[in-house]
Amino acid sequence: ESLLEKAPFGMALLDENFSFKYVNLKFKELFGYDPDEVLNERRWLRKAFPGHADRHTAIKDWFDVIKALGTGERSPRVYTVAGKDGVPKTVRFVSVKLENGEHLITCEDITQRRRVEIELHKQALFLQRLIDNIPSPIYYKDVNGIYLGCNKAYEALMGRNKNDIVGKSI
Protein backbone atom coordinates (compact mmCIF):
# COMPACT_ATOMS: atom_id res chain seq x y z
CA GLU A 1 0.00 0.00 0.00
CA SER A 2 2.87 2.36 0.82
CA LEU A 3 4.43 1.66 -2.59
CA LEU A 4 1.13 2.39 -4.36
CA GLU A 5 0.59 5.63 -2.45
CA LYS A 6 4.10 6.90 -3.25
CA ALA A 7 4.00 5.95 -6.94
CA PRO A 8 4.81 8.85 -9.30
CA PHE A 9 1.70 8.12 -11.41
CA GLY A 10 -1.96 7.42 -10.81
CA MET A 11 -2.89 3.85 -9.99
CA ALA A 12 -6.23 2.10 -9.72
CA LEU A 13 -7.26 -1.46 -8.98
CA LEU A 14 -10.33 -2.84 -10.73
CA ASP A 15 -11.98 -6.07 -9.67
CA GLU A 16 -12.82 -8.87 -12.10
CA ASN A 17 -16.10 -7.06 -12.94
CA PHE A 18 -14.12 -3.91 -13.83
CA SER A 19 -15.36 -1.95 -10.82
CA PHE A 20 -12.90 0.33 -9.04
CA LYS A 21 -11.66 -1.13 -5.76
CA TYR A 22 -8.83 1.31 -5.04
CA VAL A 23 -7.20 4.49 -6.34
CA ASN A 24 -4.01 6.06 -5.01
CA LEU A 25 -3.39 9.69 -4.08
CA LYS A 26 -1.67 10.47 -7.40
CA PHE A 27 -4.82 9.34 -9.21
CA LYS A 28 -6.72 11.87 -7.11
CA GLU A 29 -4.17 14.57 -7.95
CA LEU A 30 -4.28 13.73 -11.64
CA PHE A 31 -8.05 13.83 -12.01
CA GLY A 32 -9.08 15.90 -8.97
CA TYR A 33 -11.59 13.37 -7.65
CA ASP A 34 -11.74 11.97 -4.13
CA PRO A 35 -11.48 8.17 -4.04
CA ASP A 36 -15.17 7.79 -3.09
CA GLU A 37 -16.14 9.75 -6.25
CA VAL A 38 -14.05 7.42 -8.39
CA LEU A 39 -15.13 4.19 -6.76
CA ASN A 40 -18.52 4.74 -8.36
CA GLU A 41 -17.05 4.17 -11.81
CA ARG A 42 -20.22 5.02 -13.73
CA ARG A 43 -20.37 8.46 -12.16
CA TRP A 44 -16.64 8.97 -12.69
CA LEU A 45 -16.78 7.85 -16.33
CA ARG A 46 -19.64 10.30 -17.03
CA LYS A 47 -17.49 13.11 -15.65
CA ALA A 48 -14.20 11.96 -17.22
CA PHE A 49 -15.82 11.57 -20.66
CA PRO A 50 -18.60 14.20 -20.70
CA GLY A 51 -19.54 13.57 -24.33
CA HIS A 52 -21.83 10.56 -24.67
CA ALA A 53 -20.29 9.33 -27.95
CA ASP A 54 -16.71 9.77 -26.66
CA ARG A 55 -17.58 8.00 -23.42
CA HIS A 56 -19.25 5.10 -25.22
CA THR A 57 -16.31 4.70 -27.63
CA ALA A 58 -13.68 4.88 -24.88
CA ILE A 59 -15.51 2.47 -22.58
CA LYS A 60 -16.11 -0.06 -25.35
CA ASP A 61 -12.49 0.16 -26.51
CA TRP A 62 -11.15 -0.08 -22.97
CA PHE A 63 -13.31 -2.99 -21.84
CA ASP A 64 -12.88 -4.94 -25.10
CA VAL A 65 -9.11 -4.71 -24.68
CA ILE A 66 -8.86 -5.54 -20.98
CA LYS A 67 -11.35 -8.41 -21.25
CA ALA A 68 -9.05 -10.04 -23.81
CA LEU A 69 -5.89 -9.70 -21.70
CA GLY A 70 -4.23 -12.80 -20.35
CA THR A 71 -2.61 -12.88 -16.92
CA GLY A 72 0.43 -10.61 -16.86
CA GLU A 73 -0.40 -9.05 -20.22
CA ARG A 74 -0.63 -5.30 -20.44
CA SER A 75 -2.43 -2.91 -22.72
CA PRO A 76 -1.55 0.78 -23.09
CA ARG A 77 -4.25 3.21 -24.25
CA VAL A 78 -4.29 7.00 -24.60
CA TYR A 79 -7.49 8.97 -24.03
CA THR A 80 -8.43 12.60 -23.60
CA VAL A 81 -10.08 12.75 -20.19
CA ALA A 82 -11.64 15.66 -18.34
CA GLY A 83 -10.53 16.27 -14.77
CA LYS A 84 -12.93 17.38 -12.08
CA ASP A 85 -12.16 20.97 -13.08
CA GLY A 86 -13.37 20.18 -16.61
CA VAL A 87 -9.93 20.72 -18.16
CA PRO A 88 -9.13 17.99 -20.71
CA LYS A 89 -5.90 16.05 -20.27
CA THR A 90 -4.21 13.51 -22.48
CA VAL A 91 -3.68 10.48 -20.26
CA ARG A 92 -1.83 7.25 -20.96
CA PHE A 93 -3.52 4.33 -19.22
CA VAL A 94 -1.82 0.94 -18.93
CA SER A 95 -3.82 -2.02 -17.70
CA VAL A 96 -2.20 -5.22 -16.44
CA LYS A 97 -4.27 -8.30 -15.69
CA LEU A 98 -3.35 -9.88 -12.35
CA GLU A 99 -3.52 -13.59 -11.52
CA ASN A 100 -6.70 -13.14 -9.48
CA GLY A 101 -8.52 -11.59 -12.46
CA GLU A 102 -8.21 -8.01 -11.20
CA HIS A 103 -6.62 -5.25 -13.26
CA LEU A 104 -3.95 -2.84 -12.08
CA ILE A 105 -4.23 0.41 -14.03
CA THR A 106 -1.54 3.08 -14.20
CA CYS A 107 -2.36 6.60 -15.38
CA GLU A 108 0.16 9.19 -16.59
CA ASP A 109 -0.64 12.72 -17.75
CA ILE A 110 1.11 13.12 -21.10
CA THR A 111 -0.63 16.35 -22.11
CA GLN A 112 2.56 18.41 -22.19
CA ARG A 113 4.52 15.68 -23.97
CA ARG A 114 1.82 15.51 -26.67
CA ARG A 115 1.93 19.29 -27.11
CA VAL A 116 5.71 19.15 -27.56
CA GLU A 117 5.43 16.23 -30.02
CA ILE A 118 2.87 18.13 -32.09
CA GLU A 119 5.04 21.26 -32.08
CA LEU A 120 8.14 19.29 -33.12
CA HIS A 121 6.16 17.66 -35.91
CA LYS A 122 5.00 21.08 -37.15
CA GLN A 123 8.59 22.36 -37.09
CA ALA A 124 9.86 19.32 -38.99
CA LEU A 125 7.17 19.82 -41.66
CA PHE A 126 8.08 23.51 -41.92
CA LEU A 127 11.77 22.73 -42.32
CA GLN A 128 11.08 20.07 -44.96
CA ARG A 129 8.87 22.50 -46.92
CA LEU A 130 11.60 25.13 -46.67
CA ILE A 131 14.28 22.70 -47.89
CA ASP A 132 12.00 21.42 -50.67
CA ASN A 133 11.51 24.94 -52.02
CA ILE A 134 15.19 25.84 -52.21
CA PRO A 135 16.10 25.64 -55.92
CA SER A 136 19.58 24.18 -55.30
CA PRO A 137 19.91 20.41 -54.77
CA ILE A 138 20.23 19.57 -51.05
CA TYR A 139 20.70 16.25 -49.32
CA TYR A 140 21.69 15.29 -45.79
CA LYS A 141 23.22 12.11 -44.43
CA ASP A 142 24.08 10.55 -41.09
CA VAL A 143 27.66 9.91 -39.91
CA ASN A 144 27.64 6.55 -41.74
CA GLY A 145 26.82 8.13 -45.08
CA ILE A 146 23.18 7.03 -45.12
CA TYR A 147 20.77 9.51 -46.70
CA LEU A 148 18.36 11.00 -44.17
CA GLY A 149 16.61 13.31 -46.60
CA CYS A 150 16.82 15.55 -49.63
CA ASN A 151 14.87 18.21 -51.42
CA LYS A 152 12.91 18.11 -54.67
CA ALA A 153 15.79 19.67 -56.63
CA TYR A 154 18.06 16.79 -55.53
CA GLU A 155 15.37 14.26 -56.52
CA ALA A 156 15.21 15.88 -59.97
CA LEU A 157 19.01 15.93 -60.29
CA MET A 158 19.28 12.25 -59.37
CA GLY A 159 16.18 11.23 -61.34
CA ARG A 160 14.90 9.34 -58.30
CA ASN A 161 12.13 9.69 -55.78
CA LYS A 162 13.05 10.60 -52.17
CA ASN A 163 11.73 7.19 -51.04
CA ASP A 164 14.34 5.54 -53.28
CA ILE A 165 17.14 7.69 -51.76
CA VAL A 166 16.42 7.89 -48.02
CA GLY A 167 17.88 5.03 -46.00
CA LYS A 168 20.50 4.17 -48.62
CA SER A 169 24.15 5.13 -49.10
CA ILE A 170 25.83 6.36 -52.25
Side-chain angles (χ1 to χ4, degrees):
E1 188 175 318
S2 177
L3 178 64
L4 295 175
E5 287 304 322
K6 292 181 176 150
F9 40 79
M11 296 184 81
L13 185 63
L14 278 63
D15 66 20
E16 55 280 346
N17 297 315
F18 311 112
S19 295
F20 284 90
K21 287 179 63 174
Y22 165 83
V23 295
N24 70 351
L25 293 174
K26 193 67 172 181
F27 188 99
K28 179 185 184 243
E29 289 175 26
L30 178 61
F31 298 107
Y33 295 102
D34 289 321
D36 62 323
E37 293 176 284
V38 175
L39 294 178
N40 179 337
E41 73 274 355
R42 288 181 190 256
R43 186 172 7 143
W44 180 76
L45 288 168
R46 277 194 301 273
K47 292 177 181 180
F49 299 97
H52 176 73
D54 291 340
R55 180 174 54 250
H56 179 74
T57 301
I59 291 170
K60 181 176 179 353
D61 174 58
W62 181 262
F63 288 139
D64 286 350
V65 168
I66 64 177
K67 282 179 186 177
L69 288 178
T71 301
E73 291 182 331
R74 67 184 193 95
S75 175
R77 287 285 186 266
V78 175
Y79 298 105
T80 300
V81 181
K84 189 172 186 174
D85 59 5
V87 175
K89 298 176 182 192
T90 304
V91 179
R92 182 174 188 262
F93 294 88
V94 178
S95 177
V96 178
K97 186 173 184 178
L98 306 177
E99 284 184 13
N100 63 1
E102 296 177 336
H103 291 265
L104 181 63
I105 313 290
T106 61
C107 317
E108 180 184 10
D109 184 353
I110 61 168
T111 306
Q112 186 60 29
R113 181 184 336 162
R114 277 290 165 99
R115 285 185 191 132
V116 170
E117 288 171 351
I118 289 168
E119 188 57 37
L120 286 172
H121 182 71
K122 286 179 185 177
Q123 289 177 10
L125 287 175
F126 171 78
L127 288 173
Q128 188 59 53
R129 280 190 220 118
L130 183 66
I131 290 169
D132 279 343
N133 288 296
I134 294 173
S136 299
I138 297 174
Y139 65 87
Y140 40 102
K141 298 179 178 184
D142 67 14
V143 295
N144 297 316
I146 304 296
Y147 284 98
L148 298 174
C150 63
N151 68 356
K152 295 192 182 299
Y154 190 76
E155 285 179 297
L157 175 70
M158 299 302 289
R160 298 179 128 188
N161 183 297
K162 182 187 293 191
N163 293 334
D164 296 331
I165 297 169
V166 173
K168 298 186 175 80
S169 66
I170 194 75

